[in-house]
Amino acid sequence: MPKDSSQPDSPGANAGTGEGQDDAQPGLLKRLLSFSGGSKLKMAATVGLGLGMLSGMIWLRAYLAKLSARAPITIASALEALDRGDYSDAQNRVGAAQQESGVVAPLGESLFVLGAVKAHEAEGQWSASRGRAMHLVAARYLQQARSLGVPLGREAQAVFLLGRSLVRGNQPEGAIAALNEALEYPELPHTEIHSLLTTAFLALPEPDLEAALTSNGEVIADESLSELERFDALVSRAEILGRLERYGEAIQALEGLGGSDLQESRLIVARGRLTIESSRGVDPLDQRSMVVRARDELGRATRLDPLNGQVTRRALYWIARSYEVVGDVVEAADQFDQMTKQFGDTPEGLVATLSKAAIAHGLGQTDAALAGYRTVLDAAGSPLTYRNDLLPLSELRKALLGAHQQFTGAGNFAQAMALVDQFTPLFSEIEVTELRAKTHSRWGYTLRDSAQSEEAPELIEGRYHLRAAGVAYEDLAAMRYATLTYTDDLWESGEHFFDGQSYTHAARLFDKYLHHEVERRKGLALLRLGQAYVALDRPDQAIDALRECIELYPRDAVVFQARIECARALRLNDQPEEAESLLVKNLTGDTLTPKSAEWRDSLFELGSQLRESGRFDDAISKLDEAVQRYPDAQQALMARYDIARSYHRRADEPEQLYREAKTESERQKNRRLRDEYLEEALRRYAAVQRKVTIDTRNAESSLNKLLLRNCYTMQGAVLFRLKRYEDARKSYSDASSLFQDEPFVLESFVHIANCWRRLDKPLKARMTIAQAKQVLGSLPRDIDFKITTNFDRGQWEYLLDQMETW
């Protein structure tokens, strides 16, 4: 105990009261008396000061005595406060116990008290969302308390409070486990536990209606239920039976019930709901009659509801649904619209908003539907706090996924993507990413397949969406790295990058796939990897991948395409013999037939390979065979041009022999042979030109433009070699008129000038060169001349200046 401050602590303390101090005290007293005697006011101040000092000393002595006598605060005292219902005192005592000097309160016991206090506070919240949030806090306290150790004898109370808080906090899975455990304690209120279990089974993402019905039956079996409790349980039973489509039993459960106006209105709503739902599938006339009767009764329920609350909202919702059930969707939409405006922030208002959006979607009003779905997503919030017995979470998610599928099915991909972008947090990040990938994929392939040419905007946009799908699938793979779908996600990413012509990313993803996948699609992955490297002009890496595919998977169906791709890579790498060997294997093996795409592609590829190797007769033979077999194939047009080029180049050899011939007969023979090849080349070029000209569907494609330009130019070159200079000039003139805005036109002018000179018309030749200089001056300064010609701008200026002087 603290010592009395009026007593000396030790003999040494009296030493301070010697002579000097005695002299000081009379002096101070004299000064105070002198001060107080000056006036009445000064006297009153002196007296007040003295009394204040005296009372302060008394209070200090009492406080110190109280501190010395108080017993330490313990968790036991907090539990006593909890048992008598003084929750505020219980919480304060936990805090005091934790701060008590020299006392360490058990953490598990403290958390149990705090959890019980929070659970009580949550029950009294006026806001449902705030109450759910506080119940979640209470549940966390109680879960931690159970793991650390609750106070002795409080395990049953802890598990019951935990289960109830989890139900109220919209965590039904955990609640069911805790409440089932609570049933093992006979001292706990089993009827209330079964009632909570009924709620939990109905609140599951996929409601367990049978289990809910069983728990509800346990509640009804309790004969000690009050009249109101039994009424609530039987109405709940009818609603569960209705959701199970056991309408007869549901109506039977409601028989004999009644009571106040509020109870009567609830009964009417329950019966009306059952009537409307059970009317599906009956004769249309009978259905309408049933629905009209239910609608009239529901209108009466709104008048009986004294609170104008949930019962009224439910009645109005089922009135709106009654119109929808019989096909009066416009009237139903109006009813839902009124509910949305009046009760937008309630469970009934949310379901009305969704129903209105679905009706708008069915009527083709996609923008209105999207706006409604977005409103629903905003109002639904997090799945942790979502609670709506009219629309369980699973049904809401199913409805939104159905809306997304409806958007994509109708080709409304922008709306589908806008909806997906707002799916978080109602859907997990993995689900949203997968939906985003699938939406981009379908969007991209739809646009790609509708494109009419390589330059079509649809094709460009389609490839963009395919690349976006590749990005999304790669993100999905990262999220599901530890799952069995990881390599599938990598595969989808690589395929979409490949189809979107992002070959660098495609090669990277296929290489990663091969690193992680043990068995599936490895041959095809090697093929795709090789194709990507071919597209990137990296033939060495392409050959390595494709050879591995051919050697390791000789019985895989992809080996035939791998040979074609490897042949292309070998051509790029200047290895024509091996390339030809691979193609011949495809054409002469026992597996492929001319009906297969790989046999067809091998034949076209072999013809092109032979032409590039200078074996023009063989090339003409193979390409002619290919065109005859597959006249409508994608490669056929280019093959026809290659045939013309082969005849054109085939004329070089007899021309050289013509120059070297020793006798006139040899010269005549070789000249005749040369002219035959040139005439055939001319005919073939003209045929390709006609085919390109009449192909209006692909008139703007870069390939068709290139072939048309080359056909005019090559015809001019052939005619010039045949010394048909006027015809050559006309062919070059046609080319110059068609491509006058491209640097290529300068070559046409040069050829035209040469034709004029051969026709002995030098003035027209110089005029043509002057015209070429004017065109050169009009071409944009930043244009790249070497894309279509052999010279840059400066070299063309010098050449034309020189030719003008000839």
Side-chain angles (χ1 to χ4, degrees), residues 403-712:
H404 172 266
Q405 187 174 4
Q406 193 174 347
F407 277 132
T408 56
N412 299 316
F413 298 108
Q415 289 86 347
M417 189 60 71
L419 188 62
V420 169
D421 288 341
Q422 206 166 337
F423 271 0
T424 305
L426 199 61
F427 294 82
S428 70
E429 193 64 32
I430 290 177
E431 291 172 310
V432 171
T433 304
E434 186 172 13
L435 283 170
R436 186 175 290 119
K438 290 180 177 179
T439 305
H440 276 302
S441 174
R442 189 164 180 181
W443 197 349
Y445 285 124
T446 299
L447 287 171
R448 187 196 68 174
D449 295 342
S450 68
Q452 299 297 316
S453 68
E454 283 292 318
E455 287 74 25
E458 296 87 357
L459 182 59
I460 296 170
E461 185 181 355
R463 286 172 177 163
Y464 160 77
H465 286 293
L466 291 174
R467 294 192 295 272
V471 172
Y473 275 117
E474 186 174 6
D475 291 341
L476 189 62
M479 295 176 187
R480 302 199 291 204
Y481 179 79
T483 69
L484 295 175
T485 63
Y486 173 65
T487 54
D488 290 330
D489 295 332
L490 289 178
W491 176 262
E492 290 295 339
S493 180
E495 281 281 80
H496 283 83
F497 277 129
F498 186 85
D499 291 338
Q501 294 193 349
S502 180
Y503 297 114
T504 301
H505 289 301
R508 176 174 57 81
L509 266 298
F510 287 127
D511 187 60
K512 185 182 289 188
Y513 176 86
L514 288 164
H515 178 72
H516 289 280
E517 179 54 56
V518 177
E519 184 177 355
R520 295 179 305 148
R521 292 186 294 237
K522 296 202 76 169
L524 184 55
L526 286 166
L527 170 62
R528 288 285 187 268
L529 184 60
Q531 289 174 316
Y533 284 139
V534 169
L536 293 169
D537 197 20
R538 292 155 65 178
D540 289 334
Q541 292 170 284
I543 291 167
D544 288 342
L546 294 165
R547 278 177 175 164
E548 183 178 350
C549 175
I550 294 167
E551 293 168 4
L552 296 182
Y553 305 97
R555 296 186 180 182
D556 195 318
V558 301
V559 73
F560 307 109
Q561 188 63 40
R563 287 175 185 155
I564 297 171
E565 299 296 341
C566 193
R568 290 169 180 161
L570 289 164
R571 283 173 59 189
L572 291 173
N573 221 30
D574 196 22
Q575 296 173 259
E577 293 83 4
E578 188 177 349
E580 182 179 342
S581 174
L582 290 172
L583 296 170
V584 169
K585 282 184 181 179
N586 273 359
L587 294 169
T588 59
D590 296 331
T591 307
L592 294 180
T593 69
K595 292 183 179 180
S596 66
E598 291 86 354
W599 200 94
R600 177 200 64 201
D601 293 345
S602 297
L603 186 60
F604 278 111
E605 188 67 25
L606 179 59
S608 297
Q609 169 66 41
L610 292 169
R611 186 190 67 80
E612 286 189 9
S613 300
R615 295 163 58 184
F616 300 115
D617 289 337
D618 293 337
I620 291 168
S621 174
K622 292 298 181 184
L623 291 171
D624 255 334
E625 180 186 355
V627 170
Q628 292 299 320
R629 285 181 180 274
Y630 314 104
D632 299 323
Q634 187 178 4
Q635 307 99 313
L637 183 62
M638 193 64 195
R640 290 185 172 97
Y641 177 76
D642 282 343
I643 292 170
R645 286 286 292 151
S646 296
Y647 277 112
H648 195 166
R649 293 291 307 278
R650 185 66 181 85
D652 293 345
E653 182 183 355
E655 184 169 19
Q656 182 66 26
L657 293 173
Y658 166 78
R659 293 186 184 130
E660 297 172 355
K662 304 297 184 180
T663 65
E664 182 62 26
S665 62
E666 286 185 40
R667 282 196 295 272
Q668 291 298 329
K669 175 186 173 182
N670 285 299
R671 184 180 67 181
R672 188 166 52 252
L673 186 57
R674 178 203 67 181
D675 290 349
E676 287 176 3
Y677 284 128
L678 290 176
E679 290 290 351
E680 185 62 23
L682 186 64
R683 187 179 71 82
R684 299 280 185 154
Y685 282 133
V688 175
Q689 176 191 318
R690 285 192 300 271
K691 197 163 187 65
V692 172
T693 303
I694 64 176
D695 186 11
T696 55
R697 190 180 66 173
N698 296 314
E700 296 301 315
S701 75
S702 58
L703 176 62
N704 279 19
K705 286 183 177 180
L706 178 63
L707 289 177
L708 186 61
R709 184 190 73 188
N710 287 359
C711 283
Y712 277 117

Side-chain angles (χ1 to χ4, degrees), residues 721-739:
R721 288 177 69 177
L722 291 170
K723 298 184 179 180
R724 294 164 55 182
Y725 301 119
E726 179 60 25
D727 291 337
R729 182 194 66 78
K730 289 179 180 179
S731 185
Y732 287 128
S733 295
D734 289 340
S736 65
S737 63
L738 287 173
F739 305 98

